[in-house]
Amino acid sequence: MSDILIIGASHSGVAVAAALRSAKYDGSIMLVTEENVLPYHRPPLSKEALSKDDYSPTPLRPETFYASNRIDLVQSVKIVALNVAESYALSEDGTRFSYGHLVLACGAEPRRLSTSVDPDGVARTLRTHEDLIGLKARLAGAKSVAIIGGGLIGMEIAAMALAKGLGVTVIEAGSRLMERTVSKSIANYVLDRHLNQGLHVRFDAAVATVVRDCGRGVDLVTLSDGEQIEADIVVVAIGAAPHENLARDAGLEVNNGILVSEIGCSSHPAVYAIGDCSAWYDPVLGRHVRNEAVNPGQDQAKIVAAAITGAAPPPKRLPRYWSHQAAIQIQMSGDVNGADMEAVLNAPASGAFSVLGFKSDRLVAIQTINAPQQFGKLHDMIGMDRDALAAALDVEFPPPHHH
């Protein structure tokens, strides 16, 4: 019996264990993970890890952290069922893990192409260290790569492959890159930079089939218009699906994530969910939101730790996101898709600038390129009206341009 059972040694899973101890929680804590390595940083997998020959994952915490904080880290165990009425989780080998409170931090998995498109599973995904090892082995002898999906992860992989001198084609179903996460002006700037490095892009492109031509030793991607793209390796980066099956099968409410309140509590009072597997209620937006990034998950961990221990909740922070694409560092916060006009600070040609998104003359989103200090300053100003912001920054905004 554990007073608190945490399923998933993700960033948020480890963070909630640490936050509980920081809040002087004295009960027993067990952290269960399927993987057989110490919990590690995942964001580098699609960034510097791909370009380093001798990369090994960086642990989130040193091994001694778990013992010294009385956190029982259980590795190589897959939880296959929950019984929330009787408060236990069941592992693949039939072991019962009883709990007082349960925190689900089981993350997400890459969305894959349907079996009708990729019947043999030719396209690779990148989510875990094991995925990384397999991908690097294939990339080692490759001269070309086709990447299905022009979102943040797809573009991080593309930037790395371009830096290695590979021929890179990105196949994007939408009309521009990173449509869910960045403004059009940022997307266009990043596209121009990558095109100058030799990137090839197909927009508004639907993938019909992906097959391996074993005779020639190449992968073939056929688009719906009949075009065929040859590559030594195909990678698919079309988003991630939350691990919600455990919760759904246990009768908890799910809808593109485990539905939780603004303090992380699920439809069962003893069960919480954090990180990529969860969808938190946002009282401002009036709906549940799934934030797929490290920073929001760590903030959620602190909120849940406070809820369990009865401590005062930490101040809420807007989710922050970031992406490294070779020499381009993008930092983002706020609702970029909710903006109805934008303004640019500094000239994009400088390679270090910010795009401010406004809705009804109020700052609702910021995105910066290679401007970390400016990002830190602007992040705290989200919510200010345009005139107050201009005065605080001592700038005169040019007339805003509407999308």
Side-chain angles (χ1 to χ4, degrees), residues 36-265:
N36 62 356
V37 293
L38 272 183
Y40 57 89
H41 287 273
R42 291 184 190 275
L45 296 183
S46 59
K47 302 175 181 72
E48 60 264 31
L50 274 170
S51 56
K52 288 184 178 173
D53 295 332
D54 56 350
Y55 180 82
S56 57
T58 305
L60 291 172
R61 302 277 185 158
E63 192 167 3
T64 53
F65 164 82
Y66 301 96
S68 62
N69 284 279
R70 294 184 296 113
I71 297 164
D72 188 7
L73 178 63
V74 179
Q75 296 169 294
S76 304
V77 168
K78 182 175 184 177
I79 300 295
V80 293
L82 304 176
N83 186 323
V84 296
E86 297 183 33
S87 301
Y88 69 83
L90 195 66
S91 74
E92 208 165 29
D93 68 1
T95 304
R96 280 191 183 199
F97 295 86
S98 298
Y99 61 81
H101 284 96
L102 173 66
V103 181
L104 297 170
C106 27
E109 64 178 332
R111 294 189 192 277
R112 289 171 167 78
L113 299 171
S114 68
T115 51
S116 60
V117 172
D118 184 12
D120 299 321
V122 170
R124 296 277 180 151
T125 57
L126 179 57
R127 182 81 182 182
T128 66
H129 185 243
E130 199 174 319
D131 294 339
L132 176 75
I133 292 169
L135 188 56
K136 285 177 79 167
R138 284 288 304 276
L139 283 169
K143 291 187 172 62
S144 60
V145 58
I147 299 165
I148 300 169
L152 292 178
I153 300 294
M155 295 315 300
E156 288 171 357
I157 297 169
M160 179 285 310
L162 288 167
K164 278 181 161 295
L166 276 65
V168 182
T169 303
V170 167
I171 301 158
E172 167 54 43
S175 58
R176 66 175 177 87
L177 298 179
M178 303 172 287
E179 196 160 6
R180 274 198 320 134
T181 47
V182 307
S183 68
K184 193 179 288 186
S185 50
I186 292 270
N188 290 341
Y189 172 84
V190 172
L191 174 62
D192 287 344
R193 289 282 300 269
H194 290 323
L195 289 174
N196 287 337
Q197 297 298 311
L199 178 70
H200 299 276
V201 187
R202 304 288 187 277
F203 288 116
D204 301 309
V207 176
T209 60
V210 179
V211 296
R212 179 77 177 160
D213 183 335
C214 295
R216 293 192 299 133
V218 295
D219 294 343
L220 296 175
V221 181
T222 304
L223 305 183
S224 56
D225 65 3
E227 182 186 1
Q228 272 201 337
I229 295 165
E230 284 187 15
D232 293 325
I233 181 170
V234 177
V235 181
V236 61
I238 52 174
H243 279 301
E244 59 183 26
N245 291 357
L246 274 178
R248 180 193 293 110
D249 295 345
L252 300 175
E253 290 181 20
V254 303
N255 182 9
N256 187 33
I258 303 163
L259 299 182
V260 296
S261 68
E262 53 189 302
I263 59 163
C265 191

Side-chain angles (χ1 to χ4, degrees), residues 345-398:
L345 287 184
N346 301 338
S350 69
F353 65 97
S354 303
V355 176
L356 282 58
F358 293 91
K359 183 176 186 178
S360 305
D361 277 338
R362 191 165 294 278
L363 184 66
V364 295
I366 55 154
Q367 306 195 324
T368 63
I369 295 279
N370 297 340
Q373 286 180 312
Q374 196 165 68
F375 176 81
K377 186 177 181 180
L378 290 168
H379 178 262
D380 296 332
M381 294 178 167
I382 290 177
M384 289 178 72
D385 72 57
R386 184 181 160 88
D387 292 340
L389 186 69
L393 295 173
D394 193 23
V395 297
E396 190 173 321
F397 287 122

